[in-house]
Amino acid sequence: MPKDHGIGASPKRREDVRFLSGTGNYTDDINVNGQAYVHFLRSDVAHGRIKTINTDAASAMPGVLKIFTGADFEGVGGIPCGWQVTDRHGEPMQEPAHPVLAQGKVRYVGDQIAAVVAETVEQARDAAEAIEVDLEELPAVVDMKAALADGATKVHDDLTSNLCYDWGFVEENKPAVDAAFEAAAHVTTLELRNNRLVANPMEPRVAIGDFNRGTGDSTLYTTSQNPHVIRLLMGAFVLGIPEHKLRVVAPDVGGGFGTKIFHYAEEAFCTFAAKALNRAVKWTSTRSEAFISDAHGRDHVTKIELALDADNNFTAIRTDTHANMGAYLSTFAPSVPTWLHGTLMAGNYKTPLIYVNVKAVFTNTVPVDAYRGAGRPEATYQLERVIDKAARELGVDPIALRRQNFITEFPYATPVAVEYDTGDYHGTMDALEKIADFSGFEARRKDSEARGKLRGLGVNCYIEACGIAPSNLVGQLGARAGLYESATVRVNATGGLVVMTGSHSHGQGHETSFPQVIAEMIGIDESMVEIEHGDTDKAPMGMGTYGSRSLAVGGSAMVRATEKIIAKTKKIAAHLLEAAEADIELKDGTFSVAGTDKSVAWGDVTLAAYVPHNYPLEDIEPGLEETAFYDPANFTYPSGAYACEVEVDPETGKVTIEAFSAADDFGNVVNPMIVDGQVHGGIGQGIGQALLENAAYDENGQLLSASYMDYAMPRASDVPYYNVDHSSQTPCTHNPLGVKGCGEAGAIGSPPAVVNAVVDALQSGGHKVDHVDMPVSPSRVWAAMNA
C-alpha cells in the first residue's frame, strides 16, 4: 500500500493552493509606498564605443526624477564573478570588469546604456526614447572560433584576446590519452553543437530597491534562487553595503531554471538608485527585455573522440570544446563548461583515460551561464551521441555496447577526479527496457512504415553530480563562496515547528516535501511544520537552490537541526518522566520510557521547554530552537536510462515524439509525485532543446530569435505522455536522508535520447545520416535526408 504521510508519501503540494487561487506573493505583486519606476535604455548594437550621452531633453520630460549613466557608477564596484578558473598553464582566467551601466563601450545587444527613473514606468520609457546617444559602431564578434583568430576585434580592449581561459583536464593524462588513441582498434569522432537557449521562466525578473533613511538600511526584493548570495555579492563587492544593513527578500518565484541564480546589474541599480533618490525604485522586465538581458544557457561547440579496443571496450575519450561566455562573465559562468562538465565526461562507463579541453570565449552576445543541468547536459549529450555513433560504425547493439562498458563496482573513482559512491546502471537499464516495451518496438516500426513514416528508437544513459559541494573541494576548484546549506528549526510552545531554510523554492515543492521529512522524524502531522525561506533577515546564511541540492544539502541541514531538537526534548522528557535520558524513546509524537507504560506527549514536552517548572534550569536552558549548517562530504550522483521513440515524416522532415520513458535512480524518494513532476518538467525542457529552441545571432550580433514569434517553445502538443520509473534506488551513502537530487535529470537525459531516435529513424529509412545538430527542426532533418 502506498504511504499516506511522511517520507515516501505523495501528499498534494500545499503551496499550490495559493498559486492556483491567485494569492501567491511574487516580487511584482510587491509595491512600496511612494515607489518610482526605472526603464533601462539598452544598446541596439552588439559592439560600439560610447562618444556622448545627452540626457538634457529627456531629463526635462514629465515625471522624470533622475537619469543615470555609467558616469554615476564610477568608483562603484562592478558585477562580480563567483568562480575563478585556472587554465591549463596555471594562469588565472581573464576577468574583465562588468559595470552596472555601460562605461566607454557597449558589448552586446541589450547592454544597459542609461537608466531613467520616473514617477511611472510609461514616463520612464518615454524619456528613455528621448536620450541622445552618439555611438561609434564597431565590428562584432559572434562566432567563437572567429573570435580567437589573429586580428579579431576584441570584446574588451584591456584583455590580451577574446580567450577567457584554455582549460585542460586532467592535463597530466593527456600523453596517455593520446597514446591510447594511437593504439585503438577503432576510433569514433563526432563534431556537434549544444545550442544556445533562453531560459524563459514563467515569471520574468523583477527588482525593487528600497532605502530607509532613518536606519540606513537597504532592502532588495528580487526574483532570486539564492537571496543570501545576492546579498553577499551585491553588498560586499558592488555597493559596499555591510550585510547587516542590507536585506534581500525573494518571495514566491515563478520558475528559475538557473537563470535566477545570478546577480544582475538591475538588482544593483535599483538598490543604488533607491538610496540616491531616497525612494523605492522598481523594475519589472518585459519578455522582450528578458531575451536580451537574462543569462542564456549552453552554446558549446565540441569535437569528441571515443577510442575502443578490439573487444569494444572503451579505452579513452578526448574532447575539444569551445564554450561561449558572451560579453561578460556571469556569476557561475566559468565553472559550467569546466568543473560541471569535464568532471562528468566518464558518464556511466569505466573508461580508464579521459582528457577534456575547453576554450572559453568572449563574444558580443548576452552572457551565458548555468541553465537546468549546467554542464552535465553538455557532457551527457556529446558522450551519448558518440557512443551511439560508435555502435553503428561497429555494427553492434547500442544498448549492449553501453552495458558492456558500465561501471559495476562502487565506490568508483573516475579518471576525471570524482568518486561515485553508489549506482546500479544495469538496474536502471533493466527498468527502462520493461517500461519502454523494447520487445514491441519492431511491430510499432512496421506500423509507422505502413503509414509512410520512419520510426526510430533512441536510448541513452546519464549521470550527474548534484549538490555543488563540499565547500573545501569547490573552493580548491575556484568557487569564491562556501556551498553548504543551513536550517533553523524553531519549535513553538504548543508543538508546532517553523523551519527557516537557506534553500529557496521556486517550483520544487519544498513547503510540502520538507515537512514530510521533519514530521516523520518526530512522528507528528505534517501540518504542524511550516517552511520559511527567501528572506535574509529570517533564515540563516545559506547558498540557495540550484544543482539539485535542496534536499540533499538543505534537507540534510534540517535533519541535523531537528536531531538537536529531538536530543533536547529527550532531556526534558527524561526529567518529566523521572527516567534516564538514555531510556527515552520518541515515536509517533510521544516520548516513552523503554520497557514501561510511562509516556508524555510531544506538545507537553515543548510546552515545558517554555514553561520550565519541572526541570532544573542549570541542566537545560529554556526554549527550543536549533540551527545547523551542513557541508556534504561529496557530490551526490543520480543516474538513469532514457528511451525515446519518434516518427519522422520523410516528406517534410517533421519529427513527432511518440513515446518517452525514463528510469531514474534518485536514491531515497521523499515525495514520488513531486519527483515525477520534476522529471516531467525536465524532459519537456530537454525536448524543447532537442526539437525547437535556438537562440540564434546573425553576424552583426543581432539576436534573431528575440521573441516568441521566432523562439520556438515546446507546447503540450509537442510532448508525449511520459512513462517514468524511479524504483531502482541506491541510496546516497554520505547524507542522512540517502537522497541524490532529481530536479535536472530530465533535462540532462532527454536531448540525446531524442537525437539518437531521430538518427535511428533516418538510418532505418536508408539515409546515411550520422548526426543532426539540435534543434532537429523539420528543415534540418529534411536537409539531412536530402543531402
Side-chain angles (χ1 to χ4, degrees):
M1 289 286 293
K3 292 184 66 176
D4 60 1
H5 66 277
I7 294 174
S10 293
K12 292 181 180 179
R13 298 192 346 159
R14 63 170 74 172
E15 51 267 69
D16 286 349
V17 174
R18 68 178 186 273
F19 296 152
L20 295 174
S21 61
T23 56
N25 184 36
Y26 296 91
T27 307
D28 193 55
D29 294 322
I30 297 170
N31 291 292
V32 180
N33 187 40
Q35 72 189 14
Y37 298 84
V38 61
H39 179 80
F40 292 96
L41 175 65
R42 299 182 183 275
S43 176
D44 58 3
V45 301
H47 197 195
R49 198 173 310 281
I50 300 172
K51 291 185 173 182
T52 60
I53 302 175
N54 187 334
T55 64
D56 293 345
S59 296
M61 292 181 68
V64 174
L65 300 174
K66 183 174 174 61
I67 298 177
F68 295 82
T69 67
D72 294 289
F73 286 83
E74 290 180 3
V76 176
I79 306 301
C81 178
W83 202 297
Q84 182 184 69
V85 166
T86 301
D87 73 11
R88 57 195 294 245
H89 307 294
E91 296 297 321
M93 66 189 187
Q94 294 202 92
E95 189 172 357
H98 185 178
V100 175
L101 295 178
Q103 296 175 343
K105 286 175 70 174
V106 292
R107 294 180 172 88
Y108 64 96
V109 172
D111 209 353
Q112 299 97 281
I113 297 174
V116 181
V117 180
E119 297 288 353
T120 70
V121 69
E122 292 80 10
Q123 290 171 331
R125 188 180 299 119
D126 289 345
E129 292 179 359
I131 297 173
E132 299 175 2
V133 181
D134 185 3
L135 196 68
E136 176 193 354
E137 189 168 358
L138 302 172
V141 288
V142 178
D143 179 81
M144 287 185 281
K145 293 183 179 179
L148 297 181
D150 291 340
T153 301
K154 289 195 289 185
V155 177
H156 297 273
D157 297 337
D158 55 332
L159 302 187
T160 59
S161 69
N162 291 321
L163 180 67
C164 178
Y165 56 75
D166 181 0
W167 184 77
F169 190 72
V170 175
E171 195 64 31
E172 52 265 33
N173 286 356
K174 191 174 186 304
V177 170
D178 292 342
F181 274 91
E182 290 293 326
H186 183 86
V187 173
T188 295
T189 302
L190 182 62
E191 296 189 22
L192 46 79
R193 173 182 289 274
N194 208 294
N195 42 322
R196 180 185 280 240
L197 305 173
V198 180
N200 285 311
M202 186 179 294
E203 174 202 31
R205 289 190 297 116
V206 183
I208 307 169
D210 194 15
F211 179 71
N212 186 323
R213 186 168 56 179
T215 63
D217 292 344
S218 293
T219 300
L220 171 69
Y221 302 93
T222 184
T223 46
S224 176
Q225 299 177 216
N226 46 355
H228 281 98
V229 174
I230 302 305
R231 184 181 69 169
L232 174 64
L233 293 176
M234 185 178 74
F237 299 101
V238 185
L239 301 181
I241 303 173
E243 284 185 89
H244 68 283
K245 304 300 286 182
L246 175 60
R247 178 189 181 199
V248 177
V249 181
D252 288 332
V253 172
F257 312 126
T259 200
K260 291 177 182 172
I261 296 172
F262 324 121
H263 176 39
Y264 287 95
E266 294 89 353
E267 295 169 320
F269 175 83
C270 288
T271 308
F272 177 89
K275 182 176 181 180
L277 299 172
N278 195 32
R279 287 186 65 174
V281 176
K282 182 174 185 176
W283 170 73
T284 298
S285 172
T286 65
R287 188 60 70 178
S288 296
E289 276 186 294
F291 272 91
I292 56 173
S293 64
D294 291 3
H296 291 179
R298 313 288 195 252
D299 204 355
H300 289 188
V301 175
T302 297
K303 175 183 177 182
I304 180 170
E305 299 169 284
L306 173 64
L308 302 92
D309 67 15
D311 297 319
N312 295 340
N313 297 307
F314 301 164
T315 59
I317 293 169
R318 185 167 58 194
T319 74
D320 180 62
T321 291
H322 287 73
N324 204 331
M325 295 288 101
Y328 299 103
L329 291 178
S330 181
T331 306
F332 286 140
S335 68
V336 174
T338 52
W339 300 112
L340 300 183
H341 156 248
T343 54
L344 271 296
M345 282 309 304
N348 308 62
Y349 311 104
K350 53 190 177 185
T351 312
L353 294 166
I354 299 173
Y355 179 72
V356 179
N357 178 242
V358 177
K359 296 177 179 65
V361 185
F362 292 112
T363 62
N364 292 118
T365 62
V366 172
V368 179
D369 208 320
Y371 172 75
R372 196 171 191 170
R376 285 71 59 88
E378 294 90 324
T380 299
Y381 181 66
Q382 55 189 277
L383 182 59
E384 292 298 317
R385 283 294 299 120
V386 80
I387 291 173
D388 235 47
K389 186 182 180 194
R392 294 191 184 283
E393 291 174 349
L394 294 166
V396 299
D397 179 76
I399 296 176
L401 182 61
R402 288 174 169 86
R403 283 186 179 275
Q404 175 180 335
N405 287 280
F406 276 161
I407 297 163
T408 55
E409 296 182 3
F410 296 88
Y412 178 83
T414 75
V416 279
V418 294
E419 182 174 282
Y420 306 159
D421 59 332
T422 60
D424 181 5
Y425 308 145
H426 283 290
T428 50
M429 184 62 80
D430 291 342
L432 180 70
E433 293 199 19
K434 292 178 183 177
I435 64 174
D437 184 24
F438 286 177
S439 61
F441 173 71
E442 285 304 322
R444 296 191 293 273
R445 171 174 274 174
K446 290 180 180 178
D447 177 68
S448 296
E449 290 172 350
R451 291 182 284 106
K453 303 293 177 63
L454 306 177
R455 196 177 190 101
L457 171 64
V459 174
N460 76 282
C461 301
Y462 79 89
I463 189 167
E464 62 168 323
C466 295
I468 320 298
S471 296
N472 64 337
L473 173 60
V474 296
Q476 295 172 36
L477 304 182
R480 289 167 168 164
L483 291 170
Y484 51 83
E485 199 45 84
S486 64
T488 294
V489 177
R490 177 181 299 157
V491 185
N492 299 317
T494 52
L497 294 88
V498 178
V499 180
M500 291 155 281
T501 172
S503 298
H504 188 276
S505 182
H506 38 277
Q508 291 85 354
H510 293 172
E511 293 173 43
T512 302
S513 56
F514 285 179
Q516 289 180 250
V517 173
I518 293 173
E520 175 147 314
M521 292 178 69
I522 298 171
I524 57 176
D525 192 86
E526 291 149 19
S527 64
M528 295 178 67
V529 184
E530 287 291 322
I531 305 298
E532 290 190 357
H533 60 87
D535 188 338
T536 61
D537 272 8
K538 294 181 179 180
M541 177 72 175
M543 292 295 107
T545 294
Y546 42 84
S548 303
R549 72 193 307 267
S550 293
L551 196 57
V553 187
S556 294
M558 286 191 301
V559 168
R560 293 297 185 231
T562 305
E563 288 172 344
K564 294 180 182 181
I565 292 288
I566 291 172
K568 184 173 181 178
T569 53
K570 282 187 174 181
K571 287 184 178 182
I572 298 172
H575 281 280
L576 298 178
L577 296 170
E578 299 179 332
E581 184 182 334
D583 292 333
I584 300 298
E585 298 175 344
L586 173 60
K587 184 179 181 181
D588 297 330
T590 299
F591 296 91
S592 61
V593 180
T596 76
D597 60 356
K598 296 172 66 176
S599 66
V600 62
W602 167 259
D604 293 331
V605 173
T606 60
L607 181 62
Y610 291 94
V611 187
H613 293 167
N614 298 309
Y615 60 86
L617 292 178
E618 62 268 22
D619 293 341
I620 311 169
E621 65 181 28
L624 204 50
E625 181 172 321
E626 298 288 351
T627 296
F629 288 77
Y630 180 79
D631 203 340
N634 192 3
F635 297 95
T636 64
Y637 297 98
S639 59
Y642 284 15
C644 177
E645 286 188 35
V646 302
E647 274 191 349
V648 177
D649 185 341
E651 297 297 321
T652 65
K654 179 175 173 54
V655 176
T656 303
I657 297 181
E658 297 294 321
F660 201 103
S661 301
D664 298 286
D665 175 5
F666 296 133
N668 294 332
V669 172
V670 170
N671 187 309
M673 178 192 69
I674 288 177
V675 169
D676 284 352
Q678 288 290 306
V679 174
H680 289 182
I683 293 172
Q685 284 185 274
I687 289 173
Q689 176 176 13
L691 294 184
L692 300 161
E693 299 181 49
N694 190 33
Y697 281 91
D698 70 10
E699 67 276 9
N700 298 313
Q702 294 292 333
L703 183 60
L704 300 177
S705 49
S707 76
Y708 291 143
M709 294 294 290
D710 302 293
Y711 188 94
M713 293 283 286
R715 302 184 181 194
S717 58
D718 295 311
V719 298
Y721 172 82
Y722 304 126
N723 193 5
V724 302
D725 176 274
H726 35 77
S727 60
S728 179
Q729 298 177 6
T730 59
C732 175
T733 60
H734 53 78
N735 68 54
L737 289 168
V739 296
K740 294 185 176 183
C742 68
E744 296 164 298
I748 295 170
S750 51
V754 173
V755 178
N756 286 346
V758 170
V759 172
D760 182 61
L762 300 184
Q763 293 263 351
S764 74
H767 302 283
K768 295 181 180 179
V769 176
D770 290 324
H771 181 68
V772 181
D773 267 330
M774 298 188 293
V776 284
S777 61
S779 60
R780 288 184 175 182
V781 174
W782 189 91
M785 288 189 295
N786 292 277

